[in-house]
């Protein structure tokens, strides 16, 4: 079966490269992915593949039935781009100002379509159903959860889920597949310190919210360094601070926003509590006030041990066992594929795309680019994971 999958990947490779380039040239932000969906659906129509579109606005769910009834597995790719001005100089660079596929989602969607075409030719070789999830809005508010809420994991009921991410922190022709914690959960917060404004020459007559904000930024890190166990992973980052309009005026308010990252619920609760208590203490110390809006977003992405082992077997057939890495550390980046692994057993895989780790391919950068040849790894890896699951079930 490995040789047949490889041969079919070679057969469809030119078509999938062209699809990737078309998606890349016309990037779309979260829930705007109409043109991307049209490109994908045109191929589904060409090959007579059953699908439903406009799920969670722009999502697509395609489906292939095997030779007889059996288990059901879902493969997922995301479709959205980023608000980044491309500076790669590629012949197929973005034609949309201020928008770019700077994280590889063009490859995810094209690669999954390649796996679909491979599996469509092999549908007499397996029993069961394969669903193909083309998801909007991974980079923003998240499209996985609303697609799940729309019922994509039912009728037939999905038994396992798999997804891949092209990964700049890995070398080409390698894959990273971990058991357990794979990616962090993420929350966001907006914090407002409220003081009393006045003249910059008379700070004693004011309650300075900029000083409150500065002290909060410094003090809140004690929640990571002194309240969180040194062997646990957690991040509190303040990424935005806005206050004041003039050099000699102490403003009335200061506004901060930030992100929280964690690998388990206990750490999440501790860091949330740290932010609340630190803000309250700072406001009390200076005689001001605060307002905190803390929003829980994605849960941590946890790979099922058995599904991770299955994924390793599949990618070992593509890359060789020595090129499948199982002892990498979790990343504090987040992924809403976590909602899928929360709902069903599954695994998420990092597929390396860097030619040199001393100068790695950097995600979310204006110069993010990678070789089309990596699509073959995605196509074969996705297809073989589905076949491994259905044939072992």
């Amino acid at each position: 079966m490995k040789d047949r999958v490889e041969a079919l990947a070679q057969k469809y490779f030119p078509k999938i490269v062209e699809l990737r380039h078309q998606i890349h040239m016309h990037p779309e932000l979260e829930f705007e992915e109409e043109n991307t969906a049209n490109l994908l659906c045109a191929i589904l129509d060409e090959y007579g593949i059953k699908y439903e579109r406009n799920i969670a606005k722009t999502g697509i769910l395609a489906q292939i039935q095997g030779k007889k009834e059996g288990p059901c597995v879902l493969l997922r790719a995301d479709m959205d781009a980023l608000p980044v001005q491309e500076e790669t100089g590629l012949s197929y660079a973005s034609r949309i100002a201020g928008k770019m596929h700077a994280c590889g989602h063009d490859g995810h969607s094209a690669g999954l379509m390649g796996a679909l075409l491979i599996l469509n030719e092999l549908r007499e070789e397996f029993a069961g159903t394969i669903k193909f999830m083309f998801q909007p809005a991974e980079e923003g508010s998240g499209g996985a959860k609303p697609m799940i809420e729309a019922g994509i994991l039912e009728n037939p009921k999905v038994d396992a889920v798999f997804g891949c991410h092209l990964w700049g922190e890995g070398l080409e022709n390698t894959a990273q597949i971990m058991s357990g914690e794979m990616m962090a959960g993420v929350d966001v917060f907006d914090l407002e310190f409220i003081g009393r404004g006045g003249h910059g020459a008379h700070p004693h007559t004011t309650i300075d919210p900029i000083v409150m904000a500065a002290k909060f930024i410094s003090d809140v890190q004690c929640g990571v360094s002194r309240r969180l166990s040194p062997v646990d992973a957690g991040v509190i980052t303040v990424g935005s601070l806005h206050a004041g309009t003039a050099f000699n005026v102490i403003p009335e308010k200061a506004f901060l926003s930030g992100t929280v990252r964690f690998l388990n619920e206990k750490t999440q609760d501790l860091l949330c509590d740290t932010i609340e208590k630190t803000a309250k203490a700072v406001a009390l110390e200076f005689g001001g006030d605060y307002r905190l809006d803390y929003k829980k977003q994605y849960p941590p992405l946890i790979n099922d041990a058995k599904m991770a082992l299955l994924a390793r077997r599949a990618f070992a057939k593509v890359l060789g066992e020595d090129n499948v890495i199982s002892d990498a550390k979790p990343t504090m980046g987040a992924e809403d594929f976590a909602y899928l692994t929360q709902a069903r057993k599954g695994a998420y895989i990092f597929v390396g795309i860097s030619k040199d780790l001393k100068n790695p391919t950097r995600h979310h950068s204006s110069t993010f680019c990678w070789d089309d040849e990596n699509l073959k790894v995605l196509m074969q890896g996705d297809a073989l994971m589905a076949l491994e699951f259905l044939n072992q079930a």
Side-chain angles (χ1 to χ4, degrees), residues 64-250:
I64 293 175
Q65 179 65 47
K67 61 184 177 181
K68 60 182 180 179
E69 295 297 320
C72 180
V73 61
L74 179 143
L75 303 174
R76 175 268 204 174
D78 36 19
M79 302 186 293
D80 56 322
L82 286 157
V84 174
Q85 180 63 42
E86 182 161 355
E87 298 177 353
T88 61
L90 293 169
S91 61
Y92 55 90
S94 171
R95 296 180 179 178
I96 310 298
K99 298 180 184 180
M100 176 190 175
H101 272 288
C103 202
H105 297 190
D106 52 335
H108 300 171
S109 292
L112 183 57
M113 181 58 73
L116 184 154
L117 296 179
I118 291 169
L119 292 164
N120 185 52
E121 287 215 27
L122 298 175
R123 60 189 179 277
E124 294 300 317
E125 305 295 325
F126 61 86
T129 304
I130 306 174
K131 292 183 178 181
F132 302 84
M133 174 187 181
F134 296 92
Q135 177 204 308
E138 188 280 324
E139 294 289 1
S141 50
K145 188 175 182 181
M147 287 192 74
I148 293 170
E149 291 170 345
I152 65 165
L153 298 181
E154 307 298 336
N155 302 314
K157 182 178 179 180
V158 170
D159 298 298
V161 294
F162 296 95
C164 295
H165 200 306
L166 296 169
W167 199 238
E169 295 180 28
L171 284 171
E172 282 187 330
N173 297 313
T174 68
Q176 297 178 21
I177 308 169
M178 292 164 264
S179 297
E181 298 164 343
M182 178 82 174
M183 300 186 77
V186 57
D187 295 340
V188 298
F189 65 91
D190 293 298
L191 176 59
E192 177 184 9
F193 281 109
I194 306 161
R196 184 171 61 239
H199 199 295
H202 307 133
H204 60 291
T205 66
T206 73
I207 299 174
D208 193 335
I210 296 178
V211 176
M212 285 196 285
K215 185 166 178 55
F216 170 83
I217 292 169
S218 177
D219 289 357
V220 77
Q221 296 306 324
C222 291
V224 177
S225 67
R226 287 299 178 264
R227 295 189 67 194
L228 183 64
S229 168
V231 297
D232 291 333
V235 175
I236 298 174
T237 294
V238 175
S240 174
L241 169 60
H242 298 280
T245 58
F247 75 96
N248 60 348
V249 177
I250 292 174

Side-chain angles (χ1 to χ4, degrees), residues 310-363:
L310 182 152
R312 289 185 201 120
R313 289 200 304 268
F315 274 86
K317 292 178 180 179
V318 181
L319 301 171
E321 289 188 12
D322 291 344
N323 292 318
V324 178
I325 301 162
S326 60
D327 59 353
K329 299 295 183 183
T331 173
M332 300 309 285
E335 238 287 352
D336 72 341
F337 188 83
Y339 286 115
L340 290 160
T341 54
Q342 192 177 61
R344 298 289 190 272
K345 62 185 179 182
Y348 199 61
I349 297 88
F350 290 153
V351 176
I353 54 172
S354 283
K355 296 182 182 296
D356 177 8
L357 290 185
K358 292 182 179 179
N359 297 287
T361 301
R362 300 199 179 278
H363 295 267

Side-chain angles (χ1 to χ4, degrees), residues 381-392:
D382 270 338
L384 286 168
M385 285 192 295
L387 293 171
E388 285 275 342
F389 180 79
L390 294 178
N391 290 333
Q392 66 138 29

Side-chain angles (χ1 to χ4, degrees), residues 242-263:
H242 298 280
T245 58
F247 75 96
N248 60 348
V249 177
I250 292 174
E252 181 181 348
K253 297 178 180 180
F255 304 89
L256 304 87
S257 61
T259 184
V260 178
R261 306 296 171 113
F262 47 88
L263 293 175

